[in-house]
Amino acid sequence: MFIPSSIEEAVAELDKMLHPEFIEKVRTIPQAEFLDSQHLNLAMWIRNNWELWRVNPLTQSLRGLGITDPDEMSAFLLGKFWQHLQQPST
């Protein structure tokens, strides 16, 4: 299983792996709504598949920012993903 090694790589992986229709929907909803709707879905997938409870380069990056709880880590990553989707396409 691929585990991103940085926050930027995690955002890029989400952009690559998620269905374009889902991504377009995420672009149109407020961040809080997105985070609330995905806590038991995509965020749980991230926690489990990217092993946020273990020490790895991704969790070390997040811990360096003071984020130590896996739930908070997945919410932070989803927030970064939502912010990424709000940027104008280049």
Side-chain angles (χ1 to χ4, degrees), residues 10-24:
V11 169
E13 183 64 16
L14 290 170
D15 208 15
K16 184 171 66 173
M17 67 178 246
L18 294 172
H19 194 279
E21 288 178 9
F22 178 79
I23 288 174
E24 284 308 310

Side-chain angles (χ1 to χ4, degrees), residues 1 11-12 24-26 35 37 39 43 45 48 53 55 60 62 68 76 79 81 84 90:
M1 172 60 64
V11 169
E24 284 308 310
K25 180 180 178 188
V26 172
L35 295 177
S37 71
H39 180 72
W45 185 93
N48 291 334
W53 64 91
V55 175
Q60 288 178 317
L62 294 163
T68 58
F76 179 84
F81 179 63
H84 160 76
T90 56

Side-chain angles (χ1 to χ4, degrees), residues 12 43 51 60 73:
E51 301 180 346
Q60 288 178 317
M73 290 178 180

Side-chain angles (χ1 to χ4, degrees), residues 34-46:
F34 172 58
L35 295 177
D36 288 345
S37 71
Q38 294 305 309
H39 180 72
L40 294 176
N41 298 311
L42 183 54
M44 183 181 292
W45 185 93
I46 289 170

Side-chain angles (χ1 to χ4, degrees), residues 7 62 65 67 71-81:
I7 294 164
L62 294 163
L65 297 174
I67 306 166
D71 281 343
E72 292 174 7
M73 290 178 180
S74 62
F76 179 84
L77 292 170
L78 287 179
K80 285 292 189 184
F81 179 63

